[in-house]
Amino acid sequence: MSTRQIMPTLALLVFMASHVTAQFVLVDIRKYGARPNGDITMALTNAWKDGCESTIRSKILVPNDMYKLRPIEFKGPCKAPIEMRVNGIIQAPKNPNQLNGEDQWIRFGYVNFLTVSGQGTFDGQGEMAWKQNDCRIDKNCQKLSMNFGFGFVNNSIIRGITSKDSKYFHVNVFGCKNITFTNFKISAPADSPNTDGIHIGKSSKVKITYSKIGTGDDCVSLGDGSREVTILNVTCGPGHGISVGSLGKYQNEESVEDLIVKNCILKNTNNGLRIKSWPGTPIVSLASDLHFEDIIMINVSNPIIIDQEYCPWNQCTKQVFN
Ligand SMILES: *[C@@H]1O[C@H](CO)[C@@H](O)[C@H](O)[C@H]1NC(C)=O
Ligand SMILES: *[C@@H]1O[C@H](CO)[C@@H](O)[C@H](O)[C@H]1NC(C)=O
Ligand SMILES: *[C@@H]1O[C@H](CO)[C@@H](O)[C@H](O)[C@H]1NC(C)=O
Ligand SMILES: *[C@@H]1O[C@H](CO)[C@@H](O)[C@H](O)[C@H]1NC(C)=O
């Protein structure tokens, strides 16, 4: 064989090696037209499409630059485990009207074996929305979008990234099974309205570990149907503390079972640990097996509250069923 014939083969091998290392495909958004300071909605949409179609593990890379992103949905099921590694800063539109009334800015749905990782920040740029938030006085207030929605996502890990200044709740976890948030950071000012950290509903085996959550509302809240939830070594503050509920506002809610809160610090929060349920709903669901262990509270106004007549802004008839 002459050298001439060998050369093209080698080039192909080197090319393969740079794209398929350690059995994964690297999907770099720069190859999809992403430019620093540009809008990456199309690039990420197409990168996800290719990553999700890949029959071997794929890793989508958002490099360490600044980017803009409109509302987006990352939908499965995918053909193999998929990772999104974000090292840069991704900004949401400032004006809430540009979120097109979406519940969430970034949605992951119906994915199995998803990893979201990196040192990056998802900046909801909520300041303009917070000023427009009138939900305290108007029940039909404008719907503001959360930074993240994880819906029907199984066996997944969210690691390292930061959720900043969401317009509304930072993270909503719904219908998920075995999802872990670790070394996850949430930050928003103490006076930002309704910027709850992580809200869980109808999900099981949810873990939040080694994380720091400072925001304007609940640090973590557990809605109906939250089961086997572990909150371990999490620091909360500022904010409104860790909350079970509110429960019992609606008919046919599912129970909350098996909660472990351990080795956590609550600092500069107005509440510590809270369990709240609405009056006036026939009892169909239970909150049981709730464990709180080794909790340190520093400058917490109401360390422990169990409120079975939770009724903010007189939204209910205070009739109690027993
Ligand atoms: C997640 O798990 C549930 C319950 O086991 C299952 O019904 C669903 O299909 C799974 N979703 C995905 C995307 O794998
Ligand atoms: C939960 O998900 C993680 C991450 O994908 C996986 O390593 C682990 O095996 C899963 N656990 C169960 C019980 O399926
Ligand atoms: C949380 O974990 C870190 C790192 O492992 C450790 O230094 C810290 O003491 C832990 N905090 C609590 C409250 O256990
Ligand atoms: C105590 O927490 C409140 C918020 O609940 C905060 O405004 C205040 O600055 C904190 N005090 C100290 C000494 O950190």
Side-chain angles (χ1 to χ4, degrees):
M1 210 190 268
S2 75
T3 12
R4 232 192 217 141
Q5 281 168 309
I6 291 167
M7 284 309 285
T9 319
L10 278 178
L12 180 68
L13 278 176
V14 171
F15 176 80
M16 293 282 290
S18 68
H19 288 259
V20 187
T21 38
Q23 277 83 54
F24 69 82
V25 195
L26 185 65
V27 186
D28 188 328
I29 61 159
R30 285 173 292 200
K31 297 218 168 67
Y32 291 75
R35 298 282 170 271
N37 299 311
D39 182 321
I40 54 168
T41 315
M42 274 316 289
L44 256 188
T45 301
N46 292 329
W48 176 266
K49 217 174 275 168
D50 285 355
C52 194
E53 276 294 307
S54 169
T55 50
I56 60 165
R57 187 179 281 271
S58 62
K59 190 191 270 191
I60 297 167
L61 177 69
V62 177
N64 189 1
D65 273 307
M66 193 99 132
Y67 297 104
K68 297 188 191 320
L69 179 66
R70 283 172 284 133
I72 196 163
E73 179 176 27
F74 301 111
K75 208 159 172 248
C78 297
K79 294 190 171 147
I82 186 163
E83 175 167 353
M84 186 176 290
R85 186 171 179 86
V86 175
N87 292 329
I89 298 173
I90 301 183
Q91 295 177 318
K94 280 188 182 150
N95 188 338
N97 295 332
Q98 287 175 359
L99 273 291
N100 314 328
E102 295 287 352
D103 284 340
Q104 286 117 14
W105 171 36
I106 298 168
R107 279 183 295 160
F108 289 94
Y110 307 95
V111 192
N112 199 8
F113 297 111
L114 164 75
T115 303
V116 183
S117 65
Q119 301 307 309
T121 296
F122 293 81
D123 186 352
Q125 304 211 94
E127 209 173 325
M128 185 174 170
W130 301 333
K131 287 184 188 136
Q132 294 176 12
N133 183 324
D134 56 358
C135 294
R136 266 179 184 275
I137 46 172
D138 180 7
K139 260 194 274 180
N140 305 312
C141 54
Q142 185 197 355
K143 209 166 60 176
L144 295 165
S145 30
M146 311 181 193
N147 269 3
F148 288 102
F150 295 91
F152 308 97
V153 168
N154 297 342
N155 305 309
S156 295
I157 300 176
I158 291 78
R159 182 178 56 221
I161 58 163
T162 299
S163 174
K164 182 172 184 281
D165 294 346
S166 183
K167 292 177 170 56
Y168 197 58
F169 290 18
H170 282 265
V171 177
N172 190 46
V173 175
F174 187 85
C176 295
K177 198 174 161 193
N178 183 23
I179 183 167
T180 298
F181 293 81
T182 190
N183 190 19
F184 182 59
K185 274 111 16 192
I186 290 180
S187 90
D191 60 358
S192 56
N194 306 116
T195 53
D196 296 54
I198 302 177
H199 179 76
I200 303 163
K202 294 197 169 55
S203 297
S204 62
K205 298 191 197 300
V206 181
K207 291 196 191 73
I208 303 167
T209 63
Y210 306 99
S211 294
K212 196 168 177 337
I213 301 176
T215 191
D217 210 305
D218 289 345
C219 175
V220 176
S221 58
L222 279 72
D224 85 287
S226 300
R227 294 184 171 89
E228 295 176 75
V229 175
T230 304
I231 302 172
L232 177 72
N233 199 321
V234 171
T235 301
C236 297
H240 297 180
I242 295 173
S243 180
V244 175
S246 62
L247 301 174
K249 187 178 182 183
Y250 306 101
Q251 305 272 346
N252 307 317
E253 288 190 0
E254 291 176 23
S255 293
V256 172
E257 286 164 7
D258 285 327
L259 165 68
I260 297 173
V261 183
K262 195 171 152 71
N263 273 341
C264 290
I265 300 174
L266 291 116
K267 191 175 175 190
N268 302 339
T269 58
N270 60 2
N271 303 304
L273 308 170
R274 230 181 353 164
I275 302 172
K276 51 187 184 187
S277 52
W278 292 69
T281 322
I283 294 160
V284 293
S285 61
L286 297 172
S288 62
D289 288 311
L290 312 178
H291 303 264
F292 301 92
E293 236 179 287
D294 301 328
I295 311 293
I296 297 170
M297 301 209 200
I298 305 158
N299 183 29
V300 173
S301 322
N302 310 298
I304 297 173
I305 308 181
I306 300 174
D307 182 0
Q308 294 188 292
E309 286 195 26
Y310 179 72
C311 186
W313 324 308
N314 283 317
Q315 285 182 31
C316 52
T317 55
K318 280 217 171 187
Q319 178 195 10
V320 181
F321 287 77
N322 275 314

